[in-house]
Amino acid sequence: MRLFLCGDVMTGRGIDQVLPRPGDPALHESWVHSALHYVDLAERRSGAIAKPVPFGYVWGDALAELDRRAPQLRIVNLETSITAAGTPEPKGINYRMHPGNVGCITAAGIDCCVLANNHLADWGPTGIVDTLAVLDEAGIATAGAGRDATEAAAPAVLDAGTGTRTLVFAFGLPSSGVPAHWAASPGRPGVNFLPDIDERSVDRIAGDVARWVQPGDLVVVSLHWGSNWGYDIPIVWRQFAHALVADAGVHVLHGHSSHHPRAVEVHRGRPIMYGCGDFINDYEGIGGYEAFRGDLVLAYFLDLDDAEHTLQGFEAVPFQLRRFRLQRASAEQATWLSTCLDRQCRSLGAAVSLTGDGTLGLSW
């Protein structure tokens, strides 16, 4: 089984404005009142964008890489609401993409969108319900949100045609900015909220997995957790991740929220991705945090044994975001990412090195 995983895919705001069906550009931010401002920033940084762009434009060179590597399943964290309605949450930054632009998700053949994050409900319960409806109509599975608590807690059940089901459970945590009042309840749409990373949460996830898992299933747990910036992996994160592997039957831990890649660990043959970093966004031209090189992103490809679902191979393909489009990273950029990630992973018992084609390979 080969999986494609990546971090945050944010196709709202400025990106929505360059797609064929842009929504209302009005924003409710302190200093910016139109999403077109973010288009202007990107164009000033990297050059003109030929608007409107085709739906596949934002994926750029990643489309050819996906075709070449042919993963059985493609799973992303979709960090925007898909709606033309709703009421903006009073949180300062509100992302949404017009439903008419869902083609930019289907263009990459995405199988599952994780929705348990701190931007799904930016336009209130209406935005959540609209997002679920649009993705369902497009034939894309969802995890981590629902029209009520039962639906939000249910995993996406994916069939790759290999005889093995993949269950994707998703949770949003307060450390990434998910507010407690966004939690789905019996009568209210919301996200699958996890208030803490403690023994009780391990037991909760283990119970969720036990209720759904069948012999031979591959279990992915996707967590939106932690800060946007910084490389530190707290010991409590590692303890929690190890417990999910050892006690909850998790085969892959897919972490995200950080705007740049964080360390990867392999525990008992199971990959733990503490922070996949952003993959698509409209942050180009925004100043601050340049040392983290947030314009450099990774597409992760995991090969898992069919029987035990242990990790057999792990590669990450580097890209740069320019003009809202993914382009293959240069040799210098790939080297920087490899050195940075290797430095993080070595303290966790793994190592990263560059292959001949500029791909990052993980050894453990």
Side-chain angles (χ1 to χ4, degrees), residues 237-324:
W237 285 24
R238 295 189 68 196
Q239 292 169 342
F240 184 69
H242 292 183
L244 291 182
V245 169
D247 303 326
V250 175
H251 300 115
V252 177
L253 195 151
H254 172 221
H256 36 82
S257 176
S258 58
H259 287 330
H260 55 83
R262 280 185 166 131
V264 178
E265 181 179 16
V266 181
H267 181 67
R268 298 190 179 186
R270 316 298 190 195
I272 298 170
M273 306 158 75
Y274 286 104
C276 290
D278 285 341
F279 197 60
I280 292 173
N281 60 45
D282 70 346
Y283 306 160
E284 192 173 349
I286 300 175
Y289 300 100
E290 283 83 359
F292 293 97
R293 302 188 73 167
D295 61 319
L296 303 182
V297 306
L298 293 172
Y300 299 86
F301 294 90
L302 283 62
D303 291 326
L304 303 162
D305 175 75
D306 288 336
E308 300 298 326
H309 306 318
T310 54
L311 187 65
Q312 303 298 303
F314 185 109
E315 291 190 324
V317 182
F319 297 91
Q320 183 190 31
L321 283 165
R322 288 191 74 246
R323 295 193 295 272
F324 294 168

Side-chain angles (χ1 to χ4, degrees), residues 156-230:
V157 181
L158 309 178
D159 182 359
T162 61
T164 298
R165 297 194 317 169
T166 296
L167 307 183
V168 182
F169 296 86
F171 303 85
L173 286 86
S175 60
S176 66
V178 181
H181 73 270
W182 282 15
S185 64
R188 177 181 169 85
V191 302
N192 195 25
F193 184 72
L194 194 69
D196 205 349
I197 50 171
D198 54 15
E199 186 175 347
R200 180 179 300 180
S201 293
V202 173
D203 290 344
R204 172 185 164 184
I205 294 174
D208 289 347
V209 172
R211 278 189 289 276
W212 283 89
V213 74
Q214 298 175 8
D217 285 350
L218 170 63
V219 176
V220 177
V221 165
S222 192
L223 301 177
H224 200 65
W225 63 348
S227 62
N228 291 152
W229 306 102

